[in-house]
Amino acid sequence: MYRVTAMENIALTYRRYGEPDVVLQAETAVPAARLAGHLRVRMLFSPVNASDLIPITGAYRHRTTLPAVAGYEGIGVVTDAPGDYAHLLGRRVLPLRGQGMWQRVVDCPAEYAIPVPEEMNSLRAARAYINPLAAQMMLTRYPPRGKTVLLTAAGSDCAILLGQWALNAGAQAVYGVHRSPIHADRLAAMGIIPIAQDDVSAVCEAAARAEVTYDATGGGLAETILSLMPEQGIFVCYGLLSGQTFRQRQALPRVEWFHIRNALDALGTSAWQAQFTAIWPKLRASRYSDATLFPLAEWRAALGAYREAGRLSKPMLSMED
Ligand SMILES: NC(=O)c1ccc[n+]([C@@H]2O[C@H](COP(=O)([O-])OP(=O)(O)OC[C@H]3O[C@@H](n4cnc5c(N)ncnc54)[C@H](OP(=O)(O)O)[C@@H]3O)[C@@H](O)[C@H]2O)c1
């Protein structure tokens, strides 16, 4: 437990790039005055995602400034608001696109804060941004209707939403390549045909049929799939979990890189809010992984849990003692 006064904030901050366990430190300070047009939010929960850890290593150093507070998504309760947003006082919001969220107090631009529907569970709502929005945008940009779809890292939160929502959007079949065997049953229960990553012939067969691949692994698996996909297919790369990029040996199938940050600038505030109006009912109706709670003071244990292979739940920082 961290000891702080009621006025103080605790923030997991990095002042240099490197391994998150090494460079993150819990810093205590009294928050600065709330900026005009911003909400002040007392945080409840914030998950640990790949997207939170990668920037800490310096992978995007060209567009991050230090010091920085880690964490891109989470949920909290509004404690202070400008007059136009007084109706949000006491309500749960996702305080997105402001400060890092691995801290107890977050200020965010009021027009980007996403009010959370009453009936939405906080542990699920805390994860309504990075993975759901990426899945929704990829499916809009590269529609799966009538197509055979292939997913990699299929046990991940992003892939299970991609798979379920691709089926809802009319995909003919969805195959999910998963690394740990533990994912097979739940993928099947979602209607996703599980394929063990080490079953090379099954991976090759599925790749040869795949008209759209949504890949989060890169490396050798991406190269294998690319070498076998039909030429008219589309290979969408949205992550490099293997830590390795890949080479494309022939011009086709087309390769597209997707990153949510590149899509955000084009969204005005009403289009941004509309994305979540579409996400809430879909997220409520979908299977998603469970969350395992870690008090903020135990953030190292949360990072350790994140790295465990074959995880079925998402580590979630709990900001209150
Ligand atoms: N481009 C974007 O805008 C965007 C947006 C959201 C997410 N993403 C990406 O989506 C990916 C998944 O994120 P998430 O939060 O959904 O993950 P998650 O729920 O935390 O799950 C991670 C999954 O990745 C699998 N995995 C890890 N390393 C792997 C490897 N080397 N080969 C195969 N599988 C591996 C794990 O498999 P095991 O169960 O076997 O351990 C686990 O199922 C990340 O790469 C993230 O960066 C990208």
Side-chain angles (χ1 to χ4, degrees), residues 48-51 54 60 129-135 138 152-160 177-183 186 197 216-217 221 237-243 258-261 288-289 306-315:
V48 177
N49 295 316
S51 319
I54 297 165
Y60 308 133
Y129 168 43
I130 298 285
N131 288 312
L133 186 57
M138 281 190 270
T152 63
S156 74
D157 273 2
C158 199
I160 60 180
V177 177
H178 57 95
R179 185 177 65 172
S180 296
I182 198 164
H183 299 298
R186 66 182 192 129
Q197 191 168 321
T217 59
L221 180 59
C237 171
Y238 70 97
L240 293 174
L241 283 166
S242 67
F258 175 84
H259 204 296
I260 204 167
R261 69 166 180 268
Y288 211 18
S289 62
Y306 172 82
R307 286 190 290 264
E308 273 169 27
R311 223 182 344 100
L312 290 180
S313 82
K314 185 67 96 176

Side-chain angles (χ1 to χ4, degrees), residues 234-267:
I234 301 176
F235 182 95
V236 182
C237 171
Y238 70 97
L240 293 174
L241 283 166
S242 67
Q244 280 158 3
T245 187
F246 56 89
R247 274 179 303 161
Q248 190 182 11
R249 294 197 167 77
Q250 63 271 38
L252 294 171
R254 199 169 99 223
V255 174
E256 299 281 349
W257 291 80
F258 175 84
H259 204 296
I260 204 167
R261 69 166 180 268
N262 298 330
L264 294 185
D265 292 341
L267 288 183

Side-chain angles (χ1 to χ4, degrees), residues 10 15-16 30 34 62 68 91 98 113 124 129 131 155 162 172 176 185 190 200 204-205 225 255 271 278 294 318:
I10 300 172
R15 294 180 171 274
R16 61 191 170 92
V30 175
R34 178 179 61 77
H62 54 287
R91 281 203 57 185
R124 190 172 277 221
Y129 168 43
N131 288 312
L162 273 167
Q172 196 177 76
D185 288 348
M190 294 171 200
V200 177
C204 291
E205 255 178 59
I225 294 168
V255 174
F294 293 85
S318 174

Side-chain angles (χ1 to χ4, degrees), residues 84-319:
D84 292 354
Y85 291 89
H87 60 283
L88 290 180
L89 280 168
R91 281 203 57 185
R92 292 177 307 159
V93 296
L94 312 182
L96 301 172
R97 301 178 69 176
Q99 301 167 338
M101 263 175 259
W102 289 0
Q103 56 180 332
R104 285 202 169 151
V105 179
V106 166
D107 287 358
C108 77
E111 75 265 29
Y112 286 120
I114 306 295
V116 175
E118 289 293 327
E119 66 281 8
M120 203 69 207
N121 170 295
S122 290
L123 292 178
R124 190 172 277 221
R127 294 177 288 156
Y129 168 43
I130 298 285
N131 288 312
L133 186 57
Q136 179 166 277
M137 286 182 154
M138 281 190 270
L139 292 168
T140 303
R141 198 170 286 186
Y142 312 108
R145 174 170 292 282
K147 295 188 173 155
T148 297
V149 170
L150 182 61
L151 308 169
T152 63
S156 74
D157 273 2
C158 199
I160 60 180
L161 294 181
L162 273 167
Q164 294 172 86
W165 295 355
L167 288 166
N168 293 344
Q172 196 177 76
V174 178
Y175 292 86
V177 177
H178 57 95
R179 185 177 65 172
S180 296
I182 198 164
H183 299 298
D185 288 348
R186 66 182 192 129
L187 289 173
M190 294 171 200
I192 299 166
I193 302 161
I195 297 178
Q197 191 168 321
D198 54 11
D199 183 346
V200 177
S201 65
V203 170
C204 291
E205 255 178 59
R209 278 192 230 127
E211 294 163 286
V212 189
T213 297
Y214 304 101
D215 174 57
T217 59
L221 180 59
E223 289 185 359
T224 301
I225 294 168
L226 270 170
S227 69
L228 294 164
M229 274 182 74
E231 286 197 344
Q232 67 277 18
I234 301 176
F235 182 95
V236 182
C237 171
Y238 70 97
L240 293 174
L241 283 166
S242 67
Q244 280 158 3
T245 187
F246 56 89
R247 274 179 303 161
Q248 190 182 11
R249 294 197 167 77
Q250 63 271 38
L252 294 171
R254 199 169 99 223
V255 174
E256 299 281 349
W257 291 80
F258 175 84
H259 204 296
I260 204 167
R261 69 166 180 268
N262 298 330
L264 294 185
D265 292 341
L267 288 183
T269 51
S270 55
W272 163 255
Q273 294 282 348
Q275 289 284 343
F276 288 88
T277 306
I279 282 172
W280 294 123
K282 288 195 291 189
L283 195 56
R284 234 182 358 252
S286 304
R287 290 170 190 248
Y288 211 18
S289 62
D290 293 333
T292 304
L293 291 181
F294 293 85
L296 181 61
E298 290 171 26
W299 61 270
R300 282 177 203 281
L303 266 51
Y306 172 82
R307 286 190 290 264
E308 273 169 27
R311 223 182 344 100
L312 290 180
S313 82
K314 185 67 96 176
M316 178 82 75
L317 296 171
S318 174
M319 303 300 171

